[in-house]
Amino acid sequence: MRVVFAALMSALLLIGFATGSWAQNGLERFEKEIKPQFELKTLSYASAEPLGATGFVLKDVVAVVPANPATGDKESTIKIAKVTVDDLDFDRLRKDSKNDLAPRFARLRMEGMTGDDEMFTALEPYGVPKVPFDIALDYRIDPAAKVLTLNMLEVTLRGQARFALSMIVDGISDDTDMDTAKDEGRLRSASFTIDDKQLLDKLVPALASEEGIKSEELITTTLDALAGFAQAQTGETLKALDALASFVGDWKAPRGPLVLGLKPAKTAGLGDLDKIMVPDALSTLFGFTATYPGTRSGAAKAGSKGK
């Protein structure tokens, strides 16, 4: 009996050593497998806690990026109030994983991002204040089916605007590069939300000034170009264009988010864009939709006269 017990214990110990990484929580795996790979001068956080086997939470993160050409040959500092990783493909991010294989899934949020490099000050010349960013990412790649499901990519400039993208693309695997994605990727569906608070009110005058014109001239040109396209459209296509034109016309004070959708009758690739000028192809071929709370019927064909 003792022989059987000893053999059983040996087997359990062997399994335990073989699957030691499974017993680690998400925070331990991050600090052991991922953190050492960051090419940072320093990385610190005030507190940290695990979220199961593949997640963790970091608070008051401070990362100092060494001087390099991308940062103007000077150090830059990025601060994040809170990083929440709910799920992460640690196996693909480990140093010994294959470099040509992308992580198959990630679900994370970064709240209150600020920094002193160009990324965080790029909009200042346009009158947009330097505000914290919030970023959320949730995606999964099915290598066997070759399907990329982007549940959410959301970027929020606090108090200014929120942008959210979701989509499903066929023909994308964990070893697909950008060139292959452009040639073989086929869009199954997509949704893009623009929830503007104050951003357009600042960007439009700045962009118009760069062109040497007034804000109203820029909006008039945009609406009249949209009206020219709308003349040959009917039905659902025209309804979607009315929403788009109404949103543009309300640029100073939007009445809610503009939500754009695509759901092609058949999956679509970049090569199908040459069909976009076919009357009503936007809705019949590409499944284009647009919704906006302030939609005015007839706004698209009216152009600048309908403001």
Side-chain angles (χ1 to χ4, degrees), residues 152 154-157 160-164 193-197 257:
M152 179 174 58
E154 184 177 272
V155 179
T156 301
L157 284 71
Q160 302 297 311
R162 177 180 66 89
F163 305 91
T193 299
I194 304 172
D195 189 2
D196 179 54
K197 304 300 183 185

Side-chain angles (χ1 to χ4, degrees), residues 4-304:
V4 174
F5 180 76
L8 180 59
M9 288 299 297
S10 298
L12 290 173
L13 286 172
L14 181 61
I15 293 173
F17 285 124
T19 61
S21 62
W22 297 355
Q24 292 180 320
N25 61 48
L27 178 60
E28 290 170 335
R29 295 196 68 182
F30 166 74
E31 293 186 328
K32 179 181 179 181
E33 302 173 18
I34 310 302
K35 184 179 177 181
Q37 299 183 57
F38 291 150
E39 297 180 355
L40 299 171
K41 183 176 180 180
T42 60
L43 174 63
S44 63
Y45 28 89
S47 63
E49 60 184 74
L51 280 181
T54 58
F56 54 89
V57 177
L58 309 177
K59 293 182 179 179
D60 296 325
V61 179
V62 179
V64 179
V65 182
N68 63 79
T71 61
D73 293 320
K74 62 180 181 180
E75 288 184 359
S76 64
T77 301
I78 298 173
K79 297 181 179 180
I80 311 174
K82 185 178 181 181
V83 176
T84 303
V85 175
D86 295 298
D87 202 8
L88 191 63
D89 190 357
F90 281 99
D91 292 337
R92 287 290 172 83
L93 291 169
R94 289 187 337 202
K95 190 174 183 179
D96 58 355
S97 66
K98 293 184 178 179
N99 292 330
D100 57 344
L101 294 178
R104 293 159 294 187
F105 55 87
R107 190 167 80 252
L108 56 89
R109 299 185 306 279
M110 293 182 284
E111 303 171 59
M113 289 182 64
T114 58
D116 56 10
D117 65 8
E118 292 183 0
M119 180 180 76
F120 296 95
T121 60
L123 295 177
E124 283 190 334
Y126 299 97
V128 180
K130 184 179 177 181
V131 297
F133 283 67
D134 298 325
I135 297 176
L137 174 65
D138 180 1
Y139 82 91
R140 185 169 293 272
I141 298 173
D142 185 334
K146 287 194 172 184
V147 177
L148 164 64
T149 301
L150 177 64
N151 294 310
M152 179 174 58
L153 172 58
E154 184 177 272
V155 179
T156 301
L157 284 71
R158 292 187 180 178
Q160 302 297 311
R162 177 180 66 89
F163 305 91
L165 172 68
S166 63
M167 62 181 177
I168 300 176
V169 185
D170 293 321
I172 305 295
S173 187
D174 52 350
D175 61 354
T176 301
D177 56 29
M178 288 301 295
D179 290 335
T180 303
K182 288 188 293 184
D183 294 336
E184 299 181 4
R186 306 287 298 178
L187 181 67
R188 191 188 302 179
S189 64
S191 176
F192 183 55
T193 299
I194 304 172
D195 189 2
D196 179 54
K197 304 300 183 185
Q198 301 179 25
L199 189 61
L200 286 176
D201 189 35
K202 297 179 179 67
L203 285 182
V204 169
L207 294 174
S209 178
E210 284 188 348
E211 297 296 322
I213 60 177
K214 296 181 179 179
S215 302
E216 290 300 328
E217 292 180 72
L218 179 59
I219 295 300
T220 294
T221 300
T222 302
L223 288 174
D224 287 344
L226 190 58
F229 177 77
Q231 299 309 311
Q233 313 302 323
T234 63
E236 294 301 313
T237 300
L238 197 56
K239 187 186 297 183
L241 293 178
D242 280 345
L244 185 57
S246 299
F247 179 78
V248 173
D250 291 343
W251 65 276
K252 289 184 179 180
R255 303 179 190 182
L258 173 69
V259 181
L260 307 176
L262 286 173
K263 193 171 184 179
K266 297 180 180 179
T267 56
L270 291 177
D272 295 305
L273 291 178
D274 59 352
K275 304 170 186 173
I276 202 168
M277 298 304 294
V278 175
D280 291 331
L282 273 179
S283 57
T284 59
L285 296 180
F286 295 97
F288 176 71
T289 59
T291 60
Y292 169 60
T295 297
R296 297 178 291 280
S297 179
K301 285 189 175 182
S304 58

